[in-house]
Amino acid sequence: MTSPCKHVERPAGRHDLVFVRPEGWRAMLDPHGDLACDPLVLHWAELGWPTVRRRALPSEATGLALGLPLPPSAGKKRLSLLADLDDIARVARPPSLRQARVSAPLWWRPTLDRIDELALRHSVHVRVFGSLAWEALTGLGYVTAGSDLDLLFETRPDTDLDRLVMDLAAIERDAPMRLDGELMGADGAAVNWREFHGGASELLVKSIESVVLLDRDRFIAGAKGS
């Protein structure tokens, strides 16, 4: 099982892991009577496994909106929770591709190695979210024969985004799984890499606060921190 990531001194953003104090778990689960008795959820809380930051609903004006995706064996439920800010122990980034590699199926690993080489060539950091990330974090069975590989490319101001997605598309052509994921810029906003590769003039840009259509050039300017 992958060790917890290091503490990050910043507000929780999209895909970030949020670790909740034991007393915070009790407070989160109390409004959900059924969850408070769920053996897997209780086991999760006892082991101090993380939740994931999600976008808040309009009715969730206070606290921190969190999600807990259960494995396929538990019906792939996506639990929505709300934590008091004082109950947050720490925040961390999702696992890196290298951290998660040991938890991947053997037939995925040649593709992971190619993506790692791609990241080195383009000087970007690659993290994983979705099924592979949760399997690495918990040791539970999340990855199935039909799972996608969800990638988060943390780009740099000098990253050639067009070349990056072109090279990623070439890797996917030989991959045994679908490559999903996002390009995240310096401002924390992100777009689906496949949509960017398609060359659309407007892109669906996601942040922890909103989802907006943005001109392609404006997204690129934000990704470069300009």
Side-chain angles (χ1 to χ4, degrees):
M1 189 176 80
T2 302
S3 299
C5 305
K6 292 192 292 186
H7 179 64
V8 180
E9 292 290 349
R10 61 174 183 75
R14 289 186 68 247
H15 304 301
D16 277 355
L17 306 174
V18 180
F19 293 81
V20 179
R21 303 182 195 281
E23 58 273 21
W25 274 103
R26 289 192 291 272
M28 282 198 307
L29 296 179
D30 277 348
H32 308 274
D34 53 339
L35 292 183
C37 300
D38 186 295
L40 178 55
V41 175
L42 292 175
H43 182 65
W44 197 289
E46 288 168 3
L47 293 179
W49 285 343
T51 59
V52 64
R53 182 75 162 98
R54 64 175 174 85
R55 190 175 298 111
L57 300 173
S59 59
E60 297 172 326
T62 60
L64 198 65
L66 305 175
L68 198 167
L70 298 180
S73 62
K76 296 185 70 173
K77 296 177 184 175
R78 298 293 184 264
L79 308 181
S80 295
L81 303 169
L82 195 63
D84 191 288
L85 293 176
D86 290 338
D87 289 329
I88 304 305
R90 62 191 182 94
V91 175
R93 298 298 288 137
S96 70
L97 182 68
R98 291 185 179 183
Q99 287 174 320
R101 184 184 184 280
V102 68
S103 300
L106 292 176
W107 58 92
W108 279 26
R109 294 185 188 180
T111 298
L112 301 187
D113 292 341
R114 290 186 66 189
I115 295 169
D116 193 39
E117 292 168 2
L118 170 74
L120 289 172
R121 190 161 67 250
H122 287 274
S123 298
V124 296
H125 196 78
V126 186
R127 298 185 182 278
V128 297
F129 58 102
S131 60
L132 180 57
W134 289 107
E135 184 145 335
L137 289 161
T138 67
L140 301 178
Y142 278 84
V143 179
T144 68
S147 292
D148 297 341
L149 172 58
D150 297 299
L151 301 163
L152 183 63
F153 290 88
E154 296 178 336
T155 63
R156 295 157 49 98
D158 58 350
T159 301
D160 184 337
L161 298 179
D162 288 301
R163 172 57 63 179
L164 173 63
V165 296
M166 186 181 302
D167 291 346
L168 184 59
I171 293 174
E172 186 182 44
R173 283 196 288 271
D174 301 322
M177 81 296 271
R178 185 176 187 272
L179 303 184
D180 204 354
E182 300 177 346
L183 310 173
M184 179 175 284
D187 59 355
V191 299
N192 182 279
W193 79 266
R194 200 182 306 278
E195 183 180 350
F196 188 92
H197 183 52
S201 59
E202 286 191 320
L203 301 168
L204 193 66
V205 180
K206 298 180 180 181
S207 68
I208 195 60
E209 295 85 14
S210 64
V211 179
V212 297
L213 272 176
L214 193 65
D215 179 82
R216 182 186 185 89
D217 291 337
R218 286 186 62 191
F219 170 75
I220 294 173
K224 294 184 179 300
S226 56

